[in-house]
Amino acid sequence: MTEAGWEPDETVQLKVPAFLHADETMPLRMAEVAASDSAGTWSGTASGRRGSGGSRRRRRAPRPSLLSRLRAAGGPRLIPLVARVAPYARCLRPRYPHADRTGWHRWTPSWRQWLGAALTFTGLAAGFLGVAYAATDIPENLNSYATQQDNVYYWSDGTPMARTGWVRRQAMPLKDIPEDVCDAVLAAENASFYSDPGISFSGLTRALWRTVGQGDTQGGSTITQQYVKNVYLNQDRSAGRKFTEAMLALKLDNGMSKDDILEGYLNTSWFGRGTYGIQRAAQAYYGKDVGELDVSEAAFLASLLKGAGLYDPALSKANHARAVERWSWILDRMVEIGTLSKSERAHYKEFPEPLKQAPGYDTGKQSDYLVQLAAQYAKKAARISAKEFDLGGYQIYTTFDRKQETALTEAVAKAREQARKDDAAKTKTLHFGAASVATDGRILTVYGGPDHRTQGYNESNATTVPAGSAFLPFVYAAALENGVRKTREGATTEVTPRTLYDGDDGIPVMTPEGPYWDRGGKQVTTHNDGGRSYGRISLSRALALSVNTPFMQLGMDTGLDEVRDTAQAAGLLSSSFGPQAPGMSLGSATPSAIRMASGYATFAAAGTHVEPYSVARITRNGSETTLAKPASRRAVKASVAEAVQSALTDAFRTAHPGVDAPAEVAGKAGTVQNDTAAWYVGTAGSVSTAVVAYRIDLTKSLEPLPLQGIAGDSVPYGIWSGARGLG
């Protein structure tokens, strides 16, 4: 080597790596180039040393073959295996064009290459599907919409009253769905359901091909796949969703029984007319429960699974024709697969025409008020969270009596119409609240207002106006139960119905220490209606005539705390009471119509009280739901209740001497100070009914307005007697 670089004829000896040829050397002759500059510089690259006039390059060594590298990497142990595989690998290696062929055949892979490619693709596909299957997990939570149902409310006689919820769906256990219904659905949608793996490979391929080629995924779904789509996936149409659906269907089929899948499918499928599930479909199209369907009706409902918009006969003549054709095909298909005999098929020649429209028992007007009360009670008594209740599926059997509810509603409507004729302007602010409660606590009827959709709050449950003189029986009962005390430290004195009190108007209210003074320093006196004086009068007679003055003083002598406790024990709520002042005895408390009816029911029940309730039974999809029912308790002694009931019977007879009523009818009117409300509360047999009329202009305030003759004592009584069928 010279100072300028490599000599032109110099030969370089390079050591060959051991994996090529052990202990051998390879001569490499460098190409000669003209030197343009005697002082070249080394470039640091494989091109050699460069000068201003040219360069000399090294020729690269040929790359070792794949076989040589495999031999070197595996050592002696892999050499025999590599030697055996090498010929086949050379055969699979595409050589284009083929030298031993002519024309277009030179470009065609050999059968070995085709086989290798197919095996490779199959292996990769199987591996991919295996990984996808293992990675697919069944979601723990179903789509809330897929499981949401409506809640159905029933009258006390078991007939439907109303339903609520965004989704018309009622789930039914498979055991309660007739076998013919299941067979019709299987014939229509998936005859191989009980033997297939949850997916149809041919159908899936067809659906995927349509997705890619035409942009839809119609067809190709088994019942399992449809169920997966209903409860786990959204309804978008894409190849990705179809693949996920298939994976979930395979996994679900392996982890869930076929019966459970079929049950879920029948309860989540869309049948049109706003309904989900076979039970609500049976009600919407035939007005009956699914258990009452015959095979012909079932075949029609099964046809709706293909698309209710295309097969509901009520929508168009074309739909009717399609429905008849598919109904017939499904029955024939059932014969073909052996789930319906030919003789049975021969019986069904006429199409089972469904109802023109679904029977409606939606909420509205009065039923809304009933539903509101029942829903509140159901959630509380059955300990159902609001979220769970809203998901639906509950059958709520109420205590409401359909006939009595109709009678009460008609009686109020009659009174309102008469008031409108008398004074239309005042009638706009006139309100009625009413309720009937049985002695065992069942709420039989309520009148909550003219229409829940225009007046949301429930008049029967409102604590809006004072009870007035309708409260006197509770004061009387407290005195009979506890006795009275004339001195602060003295012993109590027994009170009987014959005990005399001063019934004159304007007498002062007395305490053991003397007259009672209000906070303004004014002596408190009490007055009777019309300023009438009665002199010394027995308590039973005073109650029958609704004389105020004896009961104002009786409340003070008994103790206002005892009066309050007795009223609460009989059924009134503590929240309806204000301060313990003498006015409490004349009805300053503001109980609802339901609570007033419940309180009087306690006297009719010989002093035993049961908290009013509106729901007798709850089921969810046919299974009983635990419901806490109120227990009865002793409110007052039976003798006390009998005395109060006797005085109320006299009150009814005295006020309405010409009415031909059963002996057990009892009740009294209630007037309120400043004429802001009028009550009538009474019992007929085992039913207690309370009616209140008052005026409030809700656009201005919640303060009651004077009735001014628009609804005097006779109006609440007229509603009460009409509801009770007494005239």
Side-chain angles (χ1 to χ4, degrees):
M1 183 186 302
T2 68
E3 184 182 75
W6 297 90
E7 289 294 337
D9 296 326
E10 185 177 7
T11 300
V12 179
Q13 297 292 328
L14 298 179
K15 189 70 173 181
V16 179
F19 69 85
L20 293 178
H21 295 287
D23 298 326
E24 292 182 5
T25 61
M26 177 183 292
L28 179 63
R29 184 164 183 89
M30 301 297 296
E32 180 177 351
V33 296
S36 61
D37 190 6
S38 62
T41 57
W42 181 253
S43 67
T45 67
S47 61
R49 180 187 175 107
R50 292 182 181 174
S52 60
S55 64
R56 296 177 182 272
R57 280 183 195 169
R58 290 183 300 170
R59 189 167 30 178
R60 295 189 181 184
R63 186 178 181 183
S65 67
L66 174 63
L67 183 60
S68 299
R69 292 199 302 271
L70 287 175
R71 285 172 176 170
R77 290 174 296 179
L78 286 180
I79 291 176
L81 178 61
V82 171
R84 287 195 298 270
V85 172
Y88 299 100
R90 282 193 295 269
C91 290
L92 292 175
R93 179 183 176 184
R95 298 176 182 273
Y96 293 103
H98 293 288
D100 56 344
R101 299 181 185 180
T102 61
W104 62 269
H105 292 289
R106 298 177 62 197
W107 303 94
T108 305
S110 68
W111 69 268
R112 293 184 182 87
Q113 291 166 347
W114 279 117
L115 177 62
L119 291 176
T120 300
F121 175 79
T122 302
L124 291 175
F128 172 75
L129 292 176
V131 171
Y133 180 84
T136 300
D137 292 323
I138 300 297
E140 294 183 2
N141 298 321
L142 305 182
N143 293 337
S144 60
Y145 190 79
T147 57
Q148 188 174 1
Q149 305 175 55
D150 53 2
N151 292 323
V152 181
Y153 297 79
Y154 297 89
W155 294 100
S156 58
D157 62 3
T159 57
M161 179 180 74
R163 63 168 178 76
T164 61
W166 295 105
V167 177
R168 297 185 183 184
R169 180 191 286 118
Q170 282 288 307
M172 290 292 288
L174 191 64
K175 63 182 179 61
D176 294 333
I177 300 175
E179 188 174 350
D180 285 341
V181 175
C182 297
D183 290 340
V185 171
L186 293 178
E189 293 295 308
N190 188 186
S192 63
F193 169 72
Y194 277 97
S195 59
D196 65 36
I199 64 172
S200 168
F201 291 100
S202 60
L204 183 61
T205 302
R206 185 167 59 253
L208 290 174
W209 173 257
R210 289 189 177 191
T211 300
V212 174
Q214 301 179 15
D216 64 50
T217 57
Q218 295 178 358
S221 292
T222 64
I223 281 178
T224 306
Q225 288 175 265
Q226 293 180 55
Y227 175 61
V228 165
K229 182 175 64 176
N230 289 344
V231 301
Y232 294 119
L233 304 175
N234 56 36
Q235 300 297 315
D236 75 307
R237 298 179 174 224
S238 65
R241 203 272 295 153
K242 200 71 180 175
F243 179 77
T244 303
E245 173 191 298
M247 289 296 101
L248 285 172
L250 284 171
K251 201 131 191 177
L252 197 69
D253 192 79
N254 285 332
M256 192 174 179
S257 72
K258 288 286 190 178
D259 283 349
D260 288 343
I261 294 173
L262 181 59
E263 177 182 306
Y265 172 71
L266 291 174
N267 285 317
T268 58
S269 295
W270 164 255
F271 285 88
R273 296 193 180 184
T275 64
Y276 288 83
I278 191 70
Q279 166 69 358
R280 292 292 287 117
Q283 294 171 343
Y285 288 92
Y286 290 107
K288 60 178 70 174
D289 290 335
V290 65
E292 302 171 10
L293 296 174
D294 61 31
V295 66
S296 180
E297 295 164 337
F300 164 70
L301 292 182
S303 71
L304 296 170
L305 293 167
K306 209 69 175 175
L310 296 174
Y311 294 95
D312 184 350
L315 298 180
S316 67
K317 291 183 178 179
N319 273 22
H320 190 281
R322 279 191 292 265
V324 172
E325 181 181 0
R326 185 156 179 81
W327 161 80
S328 180
W329 177 85
I330 291 173
L331 291 175
D332 292 340
R333 177 66 171 157
M334 293 178 70
V335 173
E336 181 182 338
I337 64 178
T339 55
L340 184 69
S341 68
K342 292 183 178 180
S343 60
E344 289 176 314
R345 171 67 179 91
H347 290 152
Y348 302 111
K349 296 183 179 298
E350 293 186 9
F351 179 66
E353 295 288 348
L355 301 173
K356 296 299 182 183
Q357 61 182 15
Y361 48 92
D362 292 342
T363 60
K365 294 188 176 180
Q366 283 307 301
S367 63
D368 272 341
Y369 298 111
L370 307 182
V371 165
Q372 181 187 54
L373 284 175
Q376 290 173 349
Y377 184 84
K379 287 184 279 189
K380 180 179 179 181
R383 295 184 178 180
I384 304 171
S385 68
K387 179 180 179 180
E388 185 178 5
F389 194 79
D390 288 344
L391 286 176
Y394 292 96
Q395 297 81 47
I396 301 155
Y397 297 87
T398 72
T399 60
F400 303 124
D401 186 289
R402 179 200 287 266
K403 292 182 179 179
Q404 293 189 43
E405 179 67 30
T406 300
L408 176 61
T409 302
E410 291 176 351
V412 175
K414 182 179 179 181
R416 191 184 296 278
E417 182 59 29
Q418 183 59 51
R420 186 178 292 110
K421 291 178 180 179
D422 295 340
D423 194 325
K426 291 179 182 177
T427 303
K428 293 180 180 179
T429 58
L430 182 61
H431 298 267
F432 293 101
S436 295
V437 179
T439 53
D440 60 5
R442 290 175 296 125
I443 302 176
L444 303 178
T445 66
V446 300
Y447 181 86
D451 189 339
H452 188 273
R453 295 174 184 178
T454 58
Q455 178 184 292
Y457 72 93
N458 190 336
E459 301 278 12
S460 70
N461 205 30
T463 56
T464 307
V465 295
S469 57
F471 186 79
L472 299 185
F474 301 105
V475 182
Y476 186 36
L480 295 175
E481 181 81 11
N482 300 286
V484 297
R485 181 178 282 113
K486 294 295 185 178
T487 62
R488 192 68 65 188
E489 303 298 333
T492 57
T493 302
E494 182 183 5
V495 171
T496 71
R498 295 182 299 276
T499 299
L500 299 177
Y501 264 73
D502 190 346
D504 288 342
D505 183 67
I507 61 174
V509 177
M510 303 299 292
T511 70
E513 291 76 24
Y516 183 89
W517 303 83
D518 63 17
R519 293 183 179 180
K522 183 179 179 180
Q523 187 176 2
V524 177
T525 59
T526 184
H527 299 274
N528 297 320
D529 287 344
R532 183 179 176 183
S533 293
Y534 293 86
R536 301 286 290 179
I537 187 173
S538 69
L539 291 176
S540 62
R541 185 64 177 164
L543 182 59
L545 297 177
S546 194
V547 182
N548 291 337
T549 52
F551 290 98
M552 177 79 91
Q553 187 59 53
L554 183 63
M556 297 297 292
D557 295 342
T558 304
L560 296 179
D561 54 344
E562 297 288 0
V563 172
R564 178 171 179 156
D565 290 347
T566 300
Q568 289 179 205
L572 273 62
L573 297 176
S574 61
S575 58
S576 64
F577 289 90
Q580 290 188 181
M584 178 191 293
S585 298
L586 297 187
S588 63
T590 57
S592 66
I594 292 175
R595 287 293 168 172
M596 283 296 283
S598 177
Y600 274 53
T602 299
F603 301 133
T608 299
H609 174 70
V610 180
E611 280 290 287
Y613 64 96
S614 56
V615 178
R617 176 172 168 249
I618 300 176
T619 61
R620 190 165 197 267
N621 300 330
S623 300
E624 289 288 335
T625 298
T626 302
L627 179 68
K629 289 188 177 180
S632 62
R633 67 170 186 265
R634 173 62 58 184
V636 295
K637 294 190 289 285
S639 59
V640 171
E642 183 180 354
V644 175
Q645 193 70 2
S646 177
L648 290 173
T649 301
D650 291 342
F652 176 80
R653 297 296 180 188
T654 301
H656 311 284
V659 177
D660 183 16
E664 69 272 12
V665 174
K668 77 178 299 296
T671 57
V672 177
Q673 188 178 11
N674 299 325
D675 189 35
T676 54
W679 288 82
Y680 196 89
V681 190
T683 58
S686 62
V687 179
S688 173
T689 302
V691 180
V692 61
Y694 60 96
R695 288 179 61 221
I696 287 182
D697 188 347
L698 295 174
T699 63
K700 296 180 179 179
S701 73
L702 295 178
E703 287 297 319
L705 302 171
L707 289 171
Q708 297 179 341
I710 192 65
D713 295 350
S714 62
V715 173
Y717 172 75
I719 295 173
W720 181 89
S721 60
R724 299 269 45 88
L726 298 176

